[in-house]
Amino acid sequence: PAGLGVEELRSHVAGLLERSRARSTVLTEAVDEADLVAQHSPLMSPLVWDLAHIGSQEELWLVRDVGGHEPLRPEIDGLYDAFQHSRASRVDLPLLTPPQTRAYVAEVRDKALDALERSPLVGRRLVDQAFAFGMIVQHEQQHDETMLATHQLRAGAPVLHAAPPPPAAGPRGPREVLIPAGRFVQGTSTEPWALDNERPAHPVELPAFVIDAYPVTNGEYAEFIEDGGYDDRRWWTEAGWKHRTEAGLVAPQFWERDGSDSWWRRRFGVLERVPADEPVVHVCFHEAAAYAAWSGKRLPTEPEWEKAARHDPATGRSRRYPWGDEEPTALHANLGQRHLQPAAVGAYPRGASAYGVHQMLGDVWEWTSSGWEPYPGFEMFPYPEYSQVFFGGDYRVLRGGSFGTDPSAIRATFRNWDHPIRRQIFSGFRCARDATSREIGENAVGRR
Ligand code: AVJ
Ligand code: FE
């Protein structure tokens, strides 16, 4: 939205609201009423809860706050407050029925569009009203990704359909990239719809490191399994080993093995052979860290990931996206549920970063080794329950978005977080390592 006049901004926002609602509609019309109210996993809400919660947040921020309306249905506020009810318990609440939910979100949307027409959008408040619209668009898209993960957990025949991702010629160029020592700017103070946790922009000094040019693939991950990686205590941290043992982990979620030794997976209701050249998905932080240790590497820290993704050594600037400042297109990254799986490595040469690191946005969320902490100078807005209340827990940061993340809800500064044992999200990883003194020396010579 940067650089748009107010009227252009208004129609841009209306378009984004329409697109997010179209996606919510696809995700909730694909299944019958019994499926909408069912608990497909104790880790997830019933789909009908997500839909009403989307409406409830939109009512709170756009209809009541921006529009100045009285509450439409004050008696349901508590039902759709994520902090009052755990995901596992939501199925037992007296929720709105699917038809009542559809009517509610439609009524909220009418009033939100009305508020959009009347709002000056920019200029009046500490946090511009335009931000409230951007936040709500992103919120709906985030819950759409969550609903997509619920679809993946649901049993039964396939109900979602999408074109296969583009084929790839395989990885080109080096498999690892050296990122020389130096300062870069992490976070942003200018991206209009960046959430509080992405701010402010601040300099970070990093020693030289090496990062994988591509996410770790299924084929590579299968080698870790074949080598007995899940049974070898050496590769796991204490917490990781405890979880691996208690949860009985033997492979990524949704993988199964037939009589032979090939791996199959269930993906949105389809049983298929695991494609070797796609980024591995549905691994938890502990599995990612164990693989990294087995391969003689480690996970990147969050600042390492961000520097490799957006620092441009030619200008010294940090980019909005790995490839530059232009908004993502289908040539840059696998985003927006355009495909229902990651694309093979090498599929998006146009999306590479200045350093030549590929597929940092889209395909799979990437685990980093960093915990969920505020940046120096963090200021909470507009509410503490988005980011602040989660700081300091056992969460690990994930970066880059997945095939299920909408472009409006991702950028190179975007920070996600989850518990280290979670893997129903579309999570994968790439590895990194410290640069050797030889690599550092060669690079210094090369630059003279
Ligand atoms: C940023 C993805 C961790 O889904 O829990 C949705 C986003 N916050 N509603 C989540 C969010 C409030 C959040 N994550
Ligand atoms: Fe929410």
Side-chain angles (χ1 to χ4, degrees):
L4 296 183
V6 169
E7 283 317 312
E8 289 166 305
L9 182 56
R10 223 184 286 283
S11 58
H12 177 66
V13 166
L16 291 174
L17 285 169
E18 195 178 307
R19 217 183 52 197
S20 61
R21 187 52 46 86
R23 184 178 180 198
S24 304
T25 303
V26 163
L27 288 160
T28 53
E29 281 186 346
V31 293
D32 62 22
E33 302 229 341
D35 238 324
L36 283 175
V37 302
Q39 183 182 63
H40 297 285
S41 156
L43 293 178
M44 309 306 274
S45 316
L47 292 166
V48 76
W49 186 93
D50 282 289
L51 185 60
H53 168 81
I54 285 168
S56 172
Q57 289 293 107
E58 183 170 322
E59 185 193 341
L60 195 65
W61 292 101
L62 301 186
V63 179
R64 298 188 202 174
D65 199 53
V66 173
H69 278 271
E70 289 304 304
L72 301 183
R73 308 199 46 172
E75 74 285 2
I76 65 169
D77 279 5
L79 291 176
Y80 300 109
D81 178 343
F83 286 83
Q84 285 188 34
H85 310 282
S86 67
R87 283 185 175 181
S89 70
R90 291 171 190 166
V91 69
D92 297 320
L93 297 172
L95 302 176
L96 298 182
T97 64
Q100 287 169 339
T101 302
R102 291 187 178 113
Y104 170 65
V105 300
E107 186 187 356
V108 169
R109 178 52 57 91
D110 276 351
K111 297 209 161 29
L113 290 174
D114 199 52
L116 177 62
E117 278 306 309
R118 293 159 194 271
S119 167
L121 290 182
V122 286
R124 275 232 201 116
R125 298 187 176 190
L126 187 62
V127 175
D128 280 342
Q129 291 189 338
F131 177 80
F133 287 92
M135 180 180 80
I136 286 302
V137 163
Q138 294 180 76
H139 182 259
E140 179 159 3
Q141 291 288 1
Q142 288 173 331
H143 277 274
D144 288 346
E145 180 166 354
T146 299
M147 287 198 275
L148 188 64
T150 304
H151 271 269
Q152 168 60 16
L153 285 160
R154 121 176 219 288
V159 294
L160 296 176
H161 305 282
R172 0 181 154 198
R175 306 302 305 263
E176 289 187 317
V177 175
L178 173 73
I179 313 288
R183 212 169 116 115
F184 89 107
V185 175
Q186 182 180 33
T188 175
S189 301
T190 52
E191 187 66 34
W193 289 354
L195 298 157
D196 57 359
N197 63 66
E198 297 165 67
R199 303 168 189 259
H202 58 283
V204 175
E205 189 79 38
L206 291 177
F209 65 97
V210 173
I211 191 162
D212 289 356
Y214 299 91
V216 170
T217 64
N218 289 320
E220 291 165 335
Y221 197 84
E223 288 174 34
F224 166 65
I225 302 177
E226 303 318 324
D227 198 43
Y230 276 85
D231 298 318
D232 195 331
R233 174 71 186 81
R234 279 181 300 167
W235 313 130
W236 301 75
T237 62
E238 197 174 311
W241 185 251
K242 185 165 179 283
H243 177 63
R244 173 251 164 266
T245 306
E246 286 170 5
L249 303 184
V250 294
Q253 192 170 9
F254 309 112
W255 283 30
E256 20 186 293
R257 221 201 256 276
D258 61 8
S260 74
D261 51 8
S262 45
W263 285 105
W264 293 72
R265 69 176 177 189
R266 193 175 52 74
R267 182 177 61 82
F268 298 107
V270 179
L271 190 66
E272 62 185 19
R273 212 178 261 280
V274 170
D277 56 356
E278 256 179 38
V280 66
V281 59
H282 296 300
V283 290
C284 71
F285 169 83
H286 295 306
E287 291 169 298
Y291 174 97
W294 168 79
S295 71
K297 300 189 187 181
R298 57 176 173 78
L299 295 179
T301 65
E302 185 182 18
E304 284 174 343
W305 189 97
E306 187 167 326
K307 184 176 182 183
R310 67 189 289 247
H311 181 65
D312 179 354
T315 62
R317 270 189 68 243
S318 285
R319 299 171 167 183
R320 298 178 67 206
Y321 300 101
W323 52 86
D325 294 343
E326 325 95 77
E327 308 275 323
T329 69
L331 289 175
H332 290 119
N334 179 9
L335 291 165
Q337 203 183 313
R338 218 169 45 239
H339 313 296
L340 288 170
Q341 66 197 92
V345 294
Y348 295 97
R350 293 265 302 269
S353 76
Y355 286 114
V357 185
H358 289 242
Q359 283 163 291
M360 296 209 77
L361 293 205
D363 299 301
V364 293
W365 286 102
E366 298 183 18
W367 288 108
T368 72
S369 61
S370 299
W372 179 239
E373 299 292 344
Y375 289 159
F378 169 81
E379 281 183 83
M380 180 276 288
F381 74 87
Y383 66 112
E385 290 83 7
Y386 185 81
S387 314
Q388 183 166 274
V389 299
F390 300 101
F391 289 135
D394 75 341
Y395 302 98
R396 287 285 170 268
V397 172
L398 298 117
R399 288 303 204 98
S402 75
F403 63 89
T405 307
D406 190 76
S408 61
I410 197 68
R411 50 209 158 253
T413 55
F414 190 90
R415 311 176 69 199
N416 194 3
W417 68 94
D418 213 331
H419 295 293
I421 65 170
R422 290 289 183 252
R423 58 181 199 166
Q424 87 285 0
I425 55 175
F426 304 111
S427 49
F429 63 103
R430 75 181 69 221
C431 298
R433 58 180 175 82
D434 299 348
T436 63
S437 50
R438 189 184 169 143
E439 285 166 326
I440 296 168
E442 278 170 7
N443 184 257
V445 170
R447 280 197 303 183
R448 262 200 289 269

